[in-house]
Amino acid sequence: MTQESTRVPSLLERMSLQEKIGQLNQLPGPEDRQLEIIRAGGVGSFVLNRRAGGDPASPISVSVEFLNRAQRTAVEESRLGIPILIGRDVIHGFRTVFPIPLGQAATWDPGAVGAAARLAASEARAHSIHWTFTPMLDICRDGRWGRIAEGFGEDPWLCSRLAEAAVRAYRERARGEGVACCAKHFAAYGAAEGGRDYNSAEISERSLHDIYLPPFHAAVAAGVDTIMSAFNNLNGLPTAANPKLLRETLREQWGFTGLVVSDWNALNELLNHGVARDQAEAAALAAKAGVDIDMIAGAFAANLAQLVAKGALSESVIDEAAARVLRLKEGLGLFDQPYAKALASPQAPAAKGRELARRMAADSIVLLKNAGDILPLSPSRDAIAVTGPLASAKDELLGTWAPDGWGEDVVRVIDGIRSKLGPKVQLIDGGVSNWISISQARQAGVVVAVLGEHPLRSGEAGAVSDIGLPPGQLEILRSLASAGVSLIAVVISGRPLAIKEVLELADAVLYVFHPGIEGGNAIADVLFGDAEPGGRLPVTLPRSVGQIPIYYAYHRTGRPPEPALRDCSQYLDEDWRPLREFGFGLSYTRFEYSDLKLERSRVEIRDGSPIRLSVKVTNVGDRAGSEVVQIYVSDLHASLVRPVKELKGFEKVRLEAGRSRTLSFEVAPADLAFFNGRELVTEPGEFKLLVGPDSCGELSARVELI
Ligand code: GLC
């Protein structure tokens, strides 16, 4: 038997009930005043959700020396020397801050998402963080919900592929390096009613299985270390007290062997939900449902021993949970290497990391409009004006949840643009007010207006009832548009904003999800053509908030929208279609699709062989560019109403001008399964394949599954 396989069982045998419960207790911290409870074995892990130790005025958010001291108390002064686990929300980068996850999704590049996760993990572990609460896999189709910023968008297929990439990257860690990852928030947190955070999720079993669960299943299949249960109640049962989710689906059906941590104080919130009379009942419900670690509620620490003593909870439940915690610590090498190397000084983002962040940010930028091919701009023009509330922003570009990012690391948009201009170019900027005058605009001839929202208008508890630009910005854009200049709008946000009028007023529009420390350089690279706008929308852009929920994979209706008809599924006061479709994004070149070929027009479900198709893509423009070739499938006839189409494949390809490439795809019959009320099933019948640059598709073919 290896030492590894004996350590946990032998430790468990030596642990008292209280010490086992201590491993299930997670506190906010660590802080000086907690060294005693660490010494007593009363806490197994910490969630470091703000500055830790060190001088509050210091820019260092995480003091390695302090965390080592807390660890030393656990390893050298507690009875069994079990190391503590330090968790932190390293959501989109530690010190090297990348685009927010919604922006990472806009790259449609699993490789890039994996590379960002790898770098974040290495920087975090160097700062003695052992566990990150990412990736966030909540599908969301409602831009009012602020946390749409932290997820990978509206589509289960795209989100699942990016989940796999992130989890595999975190799992590549060598012993003593890297961090454990956590798929959250399980489940359907993004279906919050009204887009209001923490609100109920009332969805059908079909939607749960076809839309909200697949990314978590993909993460489990990729080996995710931990799962975080969500705050919301799902169809009436809070997820922290939901054995159907946490035991039946997660463990019995999916074979998940990692640990489940509740979200912040969620056990005590079972009383607010009205499903627990007191904290003891909440602790019992959560332990029986399958929560292993209680994040900061103190409910396990205060109640589990008594619940066992009075026979209301089996000690075996606690043993299983404690074993999962110990195995995670062992897998991270914490028993052998519990301490991080002291860091002499704050580790500024390395050049390589900056380069990755810059490339990823450019690749996340979505070109929504480019009238007259006004972009890319020439750097050798006479003058250019840069204006708008985010033109000189620093911290805002870090996006939501970058507690270890430094504003001073951020390249501002104005600085990025300035670095592109030749010596003769006059740069007119809005200065402190950030807004230029009409005469300045006319003097420049070209105006770049950098608009959008502060990250505090998205992220956790960042729900808004109106998804237009923040007050005042549109009015100023209107006046700039009336100046008769070439107007380029750069809209920076954490969500899909309703920017219909911006698209009418501006000649070109770049859509940027908070881009991270290299945002200014990336935006300038795209504006001047040193990088292409590589992004494609991971969420549907609505015309107005009244269209929400709006998404491309909507279910068929008995009266599909018809322009000329009134009696159909449409609005009297607004075009029912989105402003821009899921998957949309213009390039600086043009691509043509041809030669869509199917290997066979009939495919047998039973033998599991996939639908094989190929398509030729040609760059017919005059410059190199990338294209995200997307495959959608429409189930034309089924026992239940199906979505009009669903993404089932994509590949990002870069082609020199004039070059072609034939891409091949496989769609397995299992990928076409849907939940029929009892199980996931792939039904025989006719399917339509759509291939193209976005969810509208360009070429189509039919295939029959038999
Ligand atoms: C928060 C979030 C969760 C985060 C946790 C720890 O409230 O819902 O995403 O990981 O608490 O900070």
Side-chain angles (χ1 to χ4, degrees):
M1 294 263 267
T2 64
Q3 192 224 357
E4 187 144 311
S5 59
T6 60
R7 175 188 274 135
V8 170
S10 70
L11 255 180
L12 277 172
E13 273 169 22
R14 294 155 56 204
M15 291 168 79
S16 67
L17 174 61
Q18 207 54 45
E19 284 167 329
K20 287 185 266 191
I21 292 168
Q23 290 301 309
L24 316 188
N25 184 33
Q26 183 176 98
L27 296 175
E31 296 173 12
D32 270 324
R33 61 185 174 80
Q34 293 162 324
L35 298 182
E36 188 41 48
I37 189 171
I38 294 174
R39 196 171 289 115
V43 54
S45 61
F46 284 92
V47 47
L48 190 53
N49 73 320
R50 44 178 192 23
R51 314 184 92 65
D55 164 12
S58 151
I60 305 172
S61 50
V62 174
S63 151
V64 172
E65 181 217 339
F66 176 77
L67 294 181
N68 275 339
R69 191 163 82 237
Q71 187 67 288
R72 197 160 284 111
T73 305
V75 172
E76 298 172 16
E77 298 174 27
S78 74
R79 186 176 80 87
L80 293 167
I82 298 172
I84 52 174
L85 197 53
I86 309 277
R88 188 165 179 82
D89 294 290
V90 185
I91 307 291
H92 47 101
F94 187 80
R95 177 71 189 271
T96 304
V97 180
F98 295 97
I100 58 172
L102 194 55
Q104 295 193 24
T107 68
W108 288 60
D109 183 347
V113 169
R118 229 171 270 115
L119 181 58
S122 134
E123 289 185 356
R125 187 66 187 264
H127 285 78
S128 195
I129 303 299
H130 312 121
W131 181 15
T132 176
F133 301 121
T134 42
M136 194 260 221
L137 304 178
D138 299 304
I139 294 292
C140 179
R141 296 163 165 192
D142 183 338
R144 293 170 297 181
W145 191 52
R147 301 198 79 169
I148 195 170
E150 298 170 53
F152 291 134
E154 75 179 57
D155 181 76
W157 184 272
L158 176 60
C159 184
S160 300
R161 305 295 73 81
L162 299 180
E164 286 160 355
V167 169
R168 287 179 187 142
Y170 286 119
R171 296 279 302 176
E172 281 167 10
R173 57 182 181 255
R175 260 182 103 66
E177 288 168 22
V179 296
C181 53
C182 178
K184 70 184 186 184
H185 307 78
F186 195 57
Y189 181 34
E193 208 162 79
R196 278 187 294 122
D197 207 353
Y198 319 113
N199 208 5
S200 303
E202 285 293 324
I203 57 174
S204 66
E205 276 295 296
R206 183 163 74 120
S207 294
L208 178 64
H209 286 272
D210 290 351
I211 299 164
Y212 296 95
L213 289 183
F216 288 95
H217 191 193
V220 168
V224 70
D225 301 292
T226 67
I227 294 269
M228 183 185 292
S229 63
F231 285 123
N232 54 289
N233 89 67
L234 172 58
N235 298 333
L237 197 53
T239 65
N242 192 326
K244 191 162 181 289
L245 262 186
L246 303 183
R247 287 196 188 282
E248 206 178 300
T249 301
L250 196 52
R251 295 198 187 283
E252 291 160 23
Q253 290 169 17
W254 296 355
F256 177 61
T257 57
L259 67 81
V260 174
V261 58
S262 65
D263 200 343
W264 187 273
N265 201 38
L267 270 58
N268 288 336
E269 291 181 7
L270 294 177
L271 281 74
N272 301 342
H273 282 291
V275 296
R277 285 180 202 77
D278 54 33
Q279 194 190 57
E281 186 180 1
L285 280 172
K288 288 174 185 170
V291 171
D292 297 309
I293 290 183
D294 164 10
M295 184 187 282
I296 79 104
F300 280 4
N303 298 284
L304 290 190
Q306 287 87 331
L307 288 165
V308 170
K310 65 185 187 181
L313 181 72
S314 158
E315 184 164 352
S316 66
V317 171
I318 296 170
D319 291 348
E320 282 168 20
R324 292 186 188 114
V325 178
L326 296 175
R327 280 199 294 273
L328 182 63
K329 293 181 176 182
E330 186 166 59
L332 288 165
L334 286 178
F335 284 99
D336 310 320
Q337 298 158 283
Y339 308 118
K341 292 191 190 72
L343 289 176
S345 60
Q347 309 292 301
K352 262 185 75 188
R354 276 194 176 275
E355 195 206 307
L356 178 62
R358 179 169 181 165
R359 219 175 34 247
M360 185 178 221
D363 225 16
S364 73
I365 294 174
V366 185
L367 178 59
L368 297 178
K369 178 182 180 184
N370 193 16
D373 291 340
I374 183 173
L375 290 179
L377 294 172
S378 153
S380 55
R381 50 175 308 100
D382 300 341
I384 181 171
V386 181
T387 186
L390 294 179
S392 307
K394 278 186 171 247
D395 289 5
E396 291 85 339
L397 268 56
L398 289 173
T400 181
W401 272 31
D404 304 297
W406 291 21
E408 67 193 67
D409 290 340
V410 172
V411 176
R412 300 179 305 168
V413 177
I414 185 81
D415 299 325
I417 292 175
R418 185 173 282 119
S419 73
K420 295 287 179 188
L421 300 180
K424 297 197 193 66
V425 178
Q426 186 195 1
L427 173 61
I428 300 168
D429 77 61
V432 176
S433 77
N434 279 327
W435 289 112
I436 57 170
S437 65
I438 298 300
S439 60
Q440 284 177 313
R442 288 197 176 113
Q443 184 192 342
V446 171
V447 177
V448 176
V450 188
L451 316 160
E453 55 179 9
H454 189 285
L456 284 178
R457 265 177 58 98
S458 56
E460 184 166 352
V464 291
S465 66
D466 178 4
I467 54 169
L469 280 173
Q473 295 187 16
L474 207 45
E475 291 74 2
I476 294 184
L477 204 68
R478 286 183 194 128
S479 63
L480 288 171
S482 67
V485 298
S486 296
L487 181 57
I488 293 142
V490 178
V491 180
I492 301 177
S493 86
R495 60 161 43 90
L497 292 172
I499 54 164
K500 182 170 65 173
E501 196 175 346
V502 175
L503 277 170
E504 289 160 3
L505 293 169
D507 299 294
V509 180
L510 290 179
Y511 206 85
V512 185
F513 298 101
H514 291 114
I517 58 170
E518 281 291 323
N521 278 334
I523 290 167
D525 286 349
V526 169
L527 284 171
F528 291 92
D530 294 329
E532 58 180 339
R536 300 293 183 271
L537 290 174
V539 284
T540 301
L541 275 193
R543 292 170 188 276
S544 67
V545 70
Q547 290 181 301
I548 288 176
I550 184 168
Y551 48 95
Y552 83 90
Y554 59 87
H555 287 92
R556 290 196 182 88
T557 77
R559 296 199 178 186
E562 282 294 330
L565 267 188
R566 175 189 169 100
D567 297 356
C568 64
S569 180
Q570 47 87 17
Y571 296 111
L572 294 178
D573 61 348
E574 177 64 276
D575 186 332
W576 68 277
R577 290 165 301 178
L579 188 66
R580 287 293 186 272
E581 297 279 357
F582 173 82
F584 178 86
L586 298 174
S587 161
Y588 283 154
T589 183
R590 275 188 320 106
F591 294 91
E592 274 180 8
Y593 289 70
S594 58
D595 300 347
L596 171 58
K597 291 192 180 107
L598 286 179
E599 181 190 55
R600 277 174 290 153
S601 59
R602 289 161 61 88
V603 172
E604 256 196 69
I605 298 171
R606 229 184 350 270
D607 73 20
S609 56
I611 300 166
R612 289 194 178 87
L613 63 144
S614 65
V615 64
K616 184 175 166 185
V617 184
T618 304
N619 178 346
V620 295
D622 55 8
R623 54 184 292 154
S626 301
E627 178 75 329
V628 179
V629 180
Q630 301 164 39
I631 312 292
Y632 294 83
V633 181
S634 178
D635 186 344
L636 299 177
H637 173 267
S639 58
L640 290 175
V641 173
R642 306 284 297 119
V644 289
K645 64 193 109 174
E646 294 175 291
L647 178 71
K648 293 298 176 187
F650 64 88
E651 184 176 337
K652 194 159 202 171
V653 60
R654 181 167 177 78
L655 289 173
E656 294 302 320
R659 303 300 295 267
S660 300
R661 188 176 307 168
T662 296
L663 301 174
S664 301
F665 294 90
E666 290 189 351
V667 177
D671 294 337
L672 304 180
F674 64 92
F675 187 72
N676 66 2
R678 293 177 306 285
E679 59 191 339
L680 288 174
V681 63
T682 300
E683 292 181 349
E686 204 174 7
F687 292 77
K688 184 176 177 187
L689 296 163
L690 291 157
V691 182
D694 56 35
S695 53
C696 295
E698 198 136 308
L699 302 177
S700 67
R702 295 202 175 204
V703 66
E704 191 173 2
L705 290 191
I706 51 181

